[in-house]
Amino acid sequence: MRLGIGRLPTYVLGRTLLGVAGALAVIAGVIVLIEFVDISRTVGGRSETNFVHLLWLTVLKAPSTILTLLPFAFLFGTLAAFVGLNRRSELIAMRAAGVSAWRFILPAAVAAFVVGAVTVAALNPLAALLNVKFEQARTAMLEDYLTSTPKETWLRQGDAKSQVVIRARAHDQVGGTVRLKGVSLFMYAVGPNGGLEFSRRIEADEARLYPGYWRLTGVREAAAGAGTVRSESLSIPSTLDDQAAIERFTTPDAIAFWRLPATIRGTEQAGFSALPYRLRLQQLLATPLLFAAMSVLAAAFSLRLMRLGGLAALAGSGVALGFIFFFFNQFCLALGKAEIIPTLAAAWAPPLLALLSGLTLLCYTEDG
C-alpha cells in the first residue's frame, strides 16, 4: 500500500504535465495562426514575398508571444488534468485512501516552478534571439517600403566624462553591423557638478558601429563658436556594442534575461531611466512563482467532489479568475512603468496574490 500511495503523486504529476503540454499545443497553434495572418497583412501586403518567407517570419516571431501566454498553459492544463481525474473518480479514491490533496498538488506546483525557471533562463534568451532575427528578416523584406517611409532613431551613449546624443533618419544592419543613415551627433562634456556643456555637433551621411567606435563617412563637424570642418571619414569612441545598440531599438520585452543587468547599467550610464528594464527583470524573476501560482489555483478549483455537483461552474470560475489575475498582472506592470507603484510591487504582487488565493481555497477545500 505504501508503494502504491508513493506512486500516486508521480501519476498525478504525469497527468498534469500531459494536460499542460496539450494546452500549450493548442495555445501555440492559435498564436501561430494569428501571427501568420498579422505578418501576411503587415509584411506580405507591403513587399514581394512568398508563403515560405511569411511562415519563416511567423516561426521567428511566435515564440515570444507563446512565452507571454505560457501561464495560461499551466492554468488550462492543470485544470483539465484535475477535472479529468475527478470525473473518473480517481481523486475521490485517492482522498478516500487517506492521501492529502497537498501531497499530489505540491509536485505539480514544484514542476511548474522549475519549468518557469527554465523558461526564464533558457527559453527567454532563445525567444529574444529569434525576435532579433525576425526584426532583421522583416527589415530586409520591407527594405523598399521602409526606405520610402524612414523612421527616426535616437541613441545615447556616454560615461562620467562625456555624453553623446545620436539622431539618425534610418537604421539597419549590414553583415551584423549596425548602420545609421543621415546621422547627427550632439556631443556634451560632463562638468564638475554633473551638468552637461555642449562641445560640438557632427553631421554624417552614414555611421557604422564597430567594436569600441563609430565609423562616420561624409562628415561635417562644427564646434561651438567655430566654423564647419569637412572630412571624408571620422572615428569617435563608443560605449555601445552591436547588441546594446540593437536593444535600444527594441522594447524591454525583446531583451534576453541575461542581457538585462548590462542593459540597465548601460542605460543609466547614458543618462536614461532604466525603469522599464528593471521592471522587466523583476517580472522575469517572478515568472516561476506565477507558473506555480497558476498551477495551484487551477488545482484548487477542480478538487470539489463530483457528487456535490457544480464542478463545471467551479472550474469555469477558476478559468475566469486566472484571466483576471493575468490582466491584473498587466495592469500592475502598466502602473509600474508609469512609476505609480514601486517596481517590486508591480512585478511580484500579482503572482503572490494568485498563489495566496489558490492556497486559501485549497485550505478551505481540504481542511474545511
Side-chain angles (χ1 to χ4, degrees):
M1 178 63 68
R2 290 182 179 177
L3 183 60
I5 293 177
R7 289 177 177 174
L8 288 178
T10 303
Y11 171 74
V12 175
L13 176 60
R15 301 293 299 184
T16 302
L17 293 178
L18 187 62
V20 171
L24 178 59
V26 173
I27 292 175
V30 173
I31 289 175
V32 168
L33 179 60
I34 294 175
E35 291 288 1
F36 181 79
V37 172
D38 181 64
I39 291 173
S40 298
R41 178 179 58 84
T42 57
V43 178
R46 298 172 180 174
S47 65
E48 295 295 331
T49 186
N50 55 38
F51 173 82
V52 175
H53 289 155
L54 294 177
L55 185 60
W56 175 240
L57 286 179
T58 303
V59 171
L60 295 177
K61 182 68 169 61
S64 59
T65 307
I66 292 174
L67 291 186
T68 302
L69 299 179
L70 198 54
F72 285 113
F74 284 91
L75 176 67
F76 297 149
T78 304
L79 192 63
F82 276 81
V83 168
L85 292 172
N86 206 340
R87 289 187 180 279
R88 292 190 297 270
S89 300
E90 291 177 291
L91 287 184
I92 298 174
M94 294 177 196
R95 299 175 72 181
V99 181
S100 171
W102 298 99
R103 188 168 181 180
F104 48 78
I105 289 178
L106 182 59
V110 172
F113 188 91
V114 172
V115 172
V118 173
T119 298
V120 172
L123 299 183
N124 171 264
L126 177 60
L129 176 62
L130 293 178
N131 192 70
V132 171
K133 292 184 178 297
F134 164 78
E135 293 294 340
Q136 294 173 353
R138 178 179 177 273
T139 301
M141 292 181 186
L142 295 176
E143 184 174 4
D144 294 337
Y145 176 81
L146 294 178
T147 301
S148 61
T149 57
K151 183 178 180 180
E152 196 172 69
T153 300
W154 288 86
L155 291 173
R156 186 168 176 173
Q157 65 177 44
D159 51 29
K161 297 181 179 179
S162 63
Q163 296 285 326
V164 181
V165 178
I166 304 171
R167 182 190 67 84
R169 290 198 303 269
H171 75 274
D172 58 12
Q173 282 189 285
V174 179
T177 301
V178 174
R179 180 176 66 176
L180 306 179
K181 299 179 180 179
V183 186
S184 299
L185 295 91
F186 305 89
M187 311 188 74
Y188 299 86
V190 179
N193 58 352
L196 298 179
E197 300 177 359
F198 176 77
S199 59
R200 56 176 173 155
R201 174 175 175 172
I202 300 176
E203 300 282 343
D205 297 333
E206 182 180 290
R208 295 198 184 195
L209 179 60
Y210 295 97
Y213 68 97
W214 287 98
R215 183 68 172 177
L216 311 179
T217 56
V219 182
R220 299 168 301 281
E221 181 179 358
T228 301
V229 178
R230 296 179 178 270
S231 58
E232 290 295 327
S233 63
L234 177 67
S235 297
I236 64 170
S238 175
T239 58
L240 300 175
D241 56 24
D242 286 337
Q243 187 66 30
I246 292 172
E247 288 168 354
R248 301 294 173 85
F249 303 145
T250 61
T251 63
D253 293 347
I255 301 177
F257 170 73
W258 300 109
R259 290 281 307 177
L260 280 171
T263 302
I264 291 172
R265 290 193 299 269
T267 302
E268 291 179 340
Q269 288 177 356
F272 285 111
S273 171
L275 177 64
Y277 303 106
R278 291 186 179 279
L279 183 60
R280 177 59 176 169
L281 178 61
Q282 293 300 324
Q283 181 190 15
L284 290 176
L285 291 175
T287 295
L289 183 63
L290 178 62
F291 286 7
M294 287 297 186
S295 182
V296 171
L297 191 66
F301 270 94
S302 57
L303 287 180
R304 183 181 178 88
L305 298 178
M306 284 293 296
R307 60 183 174 83
L308 299 178
L311 179 60
L314 195 62
S317 300
V319 173
L321 190 60
F323 273 103
I324 291 174
F325 275 119
F326 180 81
F327 289 111
F328 177 64
N329 184 37
Q330 300 302 313
F331 178 69
C332 287
L333 292 177
L335 293 180
K337 291 178 181 178
E339 300 187 57
I340 298 176
I341 60 177
T343 301
L344 289 177
W348 290 90
L352 284 174
L353 184 59
L355 180 62
L356 292 177
S357 300
L359 292 176
T360 300
L361 181 59
L362 190 57
C363 290
Y364 177 78
T365 304
E366 179 66 11
D367 303 323

